[in-house]
Amino acid sequence: MTTINAHKNKQVYVSRNLLSGFLFGIGLVAFIDETIFHQLFRWHHFYDKSTTDIGLISDGIFHAISWFATIAGLFLLADIRRKSGFWLKRWMGGLMLGAGGFQLYDGIIQHKLMRIHQIRYVENVIIYDIIWNVIAAIILIIGLYLTVRTSNNKIKAEAITNER
């Protein structure tokens, strides 16, 4: 495939690369959260305002939904690759946006505003909250940086430069 065609495919699939990575990022962070904090450490369940049985059921539903996001992201990725429109940097930007955005949503909305669970039930939970949300913000900033660096305008500028 020529360089010009590769740039054209990047332009056509720029948003699908972002969406695929975004969905995969949500699924990846949800999987890590579910596996480490829900199952291995047993610090919390997705919904902790009821019995342990309800908490386990909520974990199962959370896991199923995150699995669907992961699979949807991978199906989009397979389609993009089949059409020669895959752009790793753009996809990684989407992954970081999805991962960081979901983790920040979890830390602020679910932990603090909705109070459906905490990271860990200890006396000084603020330390856990700060670490959780700072990591989320760093991941989100990396995603924003990669997304801006791989905008459609950047592709057009690269294509014009390569045509000369």
Side-chain angles (χ1 to χ4, degrees):
M1 178 178 293
T2 66
T3 305
I4 294 170
N5 286 341
H7 284 290
K8 185 177 180 190
N9 278 353
K10 281 183 180 180
Q11 258 183 295
V12 170
Y13 296 110
V14 69
S15 62
R16 290 190 97 182
N17 271 283
L18 191 67
L19 178 60
S20 171
F22 184 82
L23 290 171
F24 187 79
I26 289 171
L28 178 64
V29 164
F31 172 78
I32 292 168
D33 180 25
E34 171 75 24
T35 302
I36 294 173
F37 300 106
H38 294 224
Q39 294 174 8
L40 296 176
F41 291 172
R42 292 183 266 168
W43 284 359
H44 64 262
H45 296 292
F46 180 74
Y47 184 75
D48 274 338
K49 290 187 163 193
S50 188
T51 65
T52 302
D53 287 343
I54 297 297
L56 288 172
I57 291 168
S58 71
D59 284 347
I61 293 168
F62 172 59
H63 186 68
I65 291 169
S66 67
W67 184 242
F68 286 127
T70 305
I71 296 301
L74 291 175
F75 269 106
L76 280 171
L77 176 62
D79 183 54
I80 295 164
R81 288 185 55 92
R82 185 176 53 81
K83 295 176 180 174
S84 300
F86 179 62
W87 188 5
L88 180 61
K89 282 184 184 177
R90 182 74 174 179
W91 190 84
M92 289 298 295
L95 184 145
M96 296 294 190
L97 285 176
F102 178 79
Q103 186 170 332
L104 199 57
Y105 162 81
D106 184 40
I108 293 172
I109 305 298
Q110 292 181 352
H111 295 175
K112 296 300 160 201
L113 295 178
M114 295 172 67
R115 297 190 172 274
I116 61 175
H117 66 263
Q118 293 298 318
I119 295 173
R120 187 168 189 197
Y121 293 95
V122 294
E123 192 170 309
N124 197 6
V125 72
I126 191 71
I127 294 167
Y128 291 93
D129 289 331
I130 290 169
I131 292 168
W132 186 267
N133 291 326
V134 166
I135 290 170
I138 290 167
I139 295 168
L140 194 58
I141 289 167
I142 292 168
L144 288 169
Y145 172 77
L146 288 172
T147 301
V148 168
R149 295 256 319 153
T150 58
S151 70
N152 237 342
N153 292 337
K154 301 279 185 191
I155 301 168
K156 289 175 186 173
E158 283 179 32
I160 291 167
T161 303
N162 288 332
E163 284 178 5
R164 292 179 187 168

